[in-house]
Amino acid sequence: MSEFGSVFFCDGATPIMRSLVNLYHIYCYNMIYFLVGISFFITAFVRMAPHQGWCVTFHSQSLEFTWTAIPIAVLISLLLPGYKMVIQMDECVNPLCTVKATGSQWFWSYEYGDYAAPAAMGEKGWDSGVIHPAVGSYSFSQYMKAESDLELGELRNLAVDKLAPFPEGIWVRLLGSSTDVIHSWSVPFFGVKSDVIPGRIIETPMFLDEMGTFSGQCAELCGVNHAFMPIGVEVISHHAFTRLIKP
Ligand SMILES: [Cu+2]
């Protein structure tokens, strides 16, 4: 969890988020290497004796080729891993579970469509949603907890009344949509920021490999209460998830 004074990314709870952090570190190290290298090169060149250095170098084809070719090679070497990452983030490998997240001003609703009805939702307070037997789905809305309702250890503006259960260790297909304006379902621990657009369904694949409770927030300015529609997710084992949701 990011806290006051945190500088770096929060810990990743998905392979994608950990890869994103690694990629960021690779880019940062590269920037430092090149900054130091180029500074050293310029300093050394300028400090050369006049008969060896810059003041006698005019129209050097080889020098111009070098300072064009090296940055191009560097940019391509940085582009390729980033491009690969973008493709990986869109790759949905045989999802076993579909969860629909719908943004509204100013709360989130979740719909579990692959299962007919929840069997043991009552244990964790997930029984207050709506079961739709005709279409075989279960849905509930998630609201921010008021400051007066917070319990010890819960974070202001991040705690929600009902956590959305997600399974660990299997591919999940998150379908995002909105009922009014553009919102964004964003959980930094998962490396997911999915803009949800009214009238459209946005698919986001996720593979969660860490259990626990994770928080996120709407990440698209959507109105006056944009800051007060947090996202709360509880990642549970997929066996527990199946027991929870399956009839
Ligand atoms: Cu918003």
Side-chain angles (χ1 to χ4, degrees):
M1 172 62 66
S2 298
E3 290 169 356
F4 182 76
S6 295
V7 175
F8 297 106
F9 291 108
C10 51
D11 298 334
T14 60
I16 282 291
M17 183 56 189
R18 286 191 285 274
S19 304
L20 281 172
V21 174
N22 283 339
L23 191 64
Y24 171 81
H25 287 155
I26 290 169
Y27 283 174
C28 283
Y29 288 137
N30 270 300
M31 275 164 44
I32 293 168
Y33 294 149
F34 286 110
L35 186 69
V36 172
I38 290 169
S39 306
F40 180 78
F41 174 76
I42 291 173
T43 312
F45 195 67
V46 169
R47 284 165 61 93
M48 278 180 182
H51 64 281
Q52 298 172 306
W54 55 275
C55 61
V56 292
T57 304
F58 296 101
H59 301 292
S60 169
Q61 288 288 336
S62 56
L63 202 56
E64 283 185 21
F65 177 79
T66 307
W67 75 47
T68 308
I70 290 178
I72 288 175
V74 170
L75 286 177
I76 290 173
S77 71
L78 293 178
L79 171 84
L80 291 179
Y83 189 63
K84 188 179 159 200
M85 180 66 63
V86 169
I87 291 173
Q88 279 177 346
M89 288 172 79
D90 265 348
E91 197 177 349
C92 201
V93 186
N94 189 23
L96 296 177
C97 165
T98 302
V99 181
K100 187 177 176 196
T102 306
S104 305
Q105 285 175 323
W106 286 276
F107 62 94
W108 291 95
S109 306
Y110 294 89
E111 187 175 339
Y112 294 80
D114 287 343
Y115 304 92
M121 286 253 171
E123 287 172 27
K124 291 206 164 191
W126 284 319
D127 59 343
S128 48
V130 183
I131 300 167
H132 312 282
V135 290
S137 75
Y138 171 77
S139 65
F140 67 91
S141 296
Q142 181 181 70
Y143 296 89
M144 188 188 79
K145 261 192 176 181
E147 211 168 326
S148 53
D149 297 336
L150 288 181
E151 289 164 24
L152 193 65
E154 286 186 328
L155 296 170
R156 190 174 68 91
N157 289 357
L158 281 179
V160 292
D161 59 346
K162 257 175 285 176
L163 293 164
F166 276 73
E168 176 243 9
I170 59 173
W171 278 94
V172 179
R173 175 172 50 194
L174 180 79
L175 299 179
S177 192
S178 167
T179 56
D180 36 47
V181 298
I182 299 177
H183 301 273
S184 186
W185 197 91
S186 169
V187 178
F189 300 92
F190 302 162
V192 168
K193 179 184 176 294
S194 174
D195 288 5
V196 297
I197 298 164
R200 295 183 67 174
I201 302 279
I202 312 293
E203 182 186 270
T204 309
M206 293 195 296
F207 184 88
L208 315 172
D209 60 0
E210 232 174 78
M211 289 194 275
T213 305
F214 302 95
S215 297
Q217 287 172 304
C218 177
E220 183 70 46
L221 188 58
C222 58
V224 66
N225 285 328
H226 161 64
F228 309 113
M229 50 181 295
I231 295 157
V233 171
E234 182 166 7
V235 181
I236 53 180
S237 74
H238 68 268
H239 297 297
F241 183 82
T242 311
R243 275 202 305 278
L244 189 71
I245 306 256
K246 217 172 179 181

